[in-house]
Amino acid sequence: EERTFVAIKPDGVQRKLIGEIVARFEKKGLKLVGCKLIQPSRKLAEKHYAEHKGKPFYEGLLDFITSGPVFAMVWEGKEVVSTSRSLIGLTDPKKSPMNTIRGDFGIDVGRNTIHGSDSVESAQREIKLWFSKNELITSSITIEKWINED
Ligand code: GTP
Ligand code: MG
């Protein structure tokens, strides 16, 4: 089944939004297969955001993401990558519609509360980067039949 990497950034953790955000993913019918509170090293942050190297906001982004604990998660479900991006909303919270996480909780693009992988390939790369295999559950909580018809 498809998996994605989601992380509540330091602003979201400091603002005590973990519970509210996890609740939205759970209520959507997605399945949590791993999570941890971790303050990422510079090296991990550089690898995670490698695609943005050289952009004007890159150094600030690394400073910010390494500035405090991040709540890292792996979620599983049907089309979970795109479903998660829909729950999260647009990159800029000001442009993100209400009822999305960024639309509801953020103002600044540099403080947009949460990260979600942008493709299945990114998800696989990011999950490997942030989690070891033994941190992810394999035994399943079978909510599947209550969410998907087949
Ligand atoms: P992520 O889920 O965090 O990867 O966000 P995204 O996929 O919606 O956006 P993108 O990958 O393009 O950018 C990564 C992160 O860099 C964003 O979440 C922002 O926090 C930050 N960022 C992107 N564009 C800007 C910008 O123009 N200015 C600033 N200050 N930050 C930006
Ligand atoms: Mg991105």
Side-chain angles (χ1 to χ4, degrees):
E1 175 124 67
E2 191 169 300
R3 288 180 169 187
T4 195
F5 174 72
V6 175
I8 304 175
K9 298 181 183 182
D11 54 331
V13 173
Q14 297 297 337
R15 293 175 57 207
K16 316 257 182 241
L17 296 173
I18 294 174
E20 165 95 32
I21 290 170
V22 168
R24 291 188 182 204
F25 279 77
E26 285 186 321
K27 287 180 199 166
K28 186 69 178 171
L30 303 175
K31 197 163 63 183
L32 185 63
V33 298
C35 65
K36 61 183 169 187
L37 200 55
I38 174 183
Q39 182 159 355
S41 65
R42 194 88 184 172
K43 203 172 145 193
L44 174 57
E46 282 171 2
K47 285 183 183 164
H48 177 76
Y49 279 127
E51 63 171 312
H52 298 302
K53 195 174 169 154
K55 292 183 187 171
F57 58 84
Y58 177 71
E59 290 299 329
L61 182 59
L62 293 190
D63 289 344
F64 173 61
I65 202 76
T66 58
S67 68
V70 165
F71 193 66
M73 298 166 275
V74 176
W75 289 89
E76 192 173 271
K78 193 197 271 183
E79 292 174 38
V80 67
V81 172
S82 61
T83 303
S84 298
R85 294 279 287 192
S86 302
L87 288 175
I88 289 169
L90 305 178
T91 306
D92 185 349
K94 278 191 280 289
K95 296 181 185 136
S96 198
M98 290 299 127
N99 297 322
T100 64
I101 292 166
R102 285 171 174 165
D104 288 352
F105 301 130
I107 296 171
D108 257 32
V109 70
R111 297 287 185 274
N112 62 4
T113 320
I114 186 167
H115 162 81
S117 306
D118 61 12
S119 68
V120 173
E121 295 69 38
S122 303
Q124 285 168 352
R125 188 185 75 86
E126 291 167 5
I127 290 168
K128 259 198 236 157
L129 200 56
W130 288 79
F131 285 91
S132 57
K133 259 202 175 131
N134 65 10
E135 291 176 310
L136 304 174
I137 61 151
T138 45
S139 60
S140 56
I141 303 163
T142 55
I143 59 165
E144 221 58 51
K145 64 176 177 178
W146 306 109
I147 308 294
N148 299 316
E149 192 173 16
D150 43 45

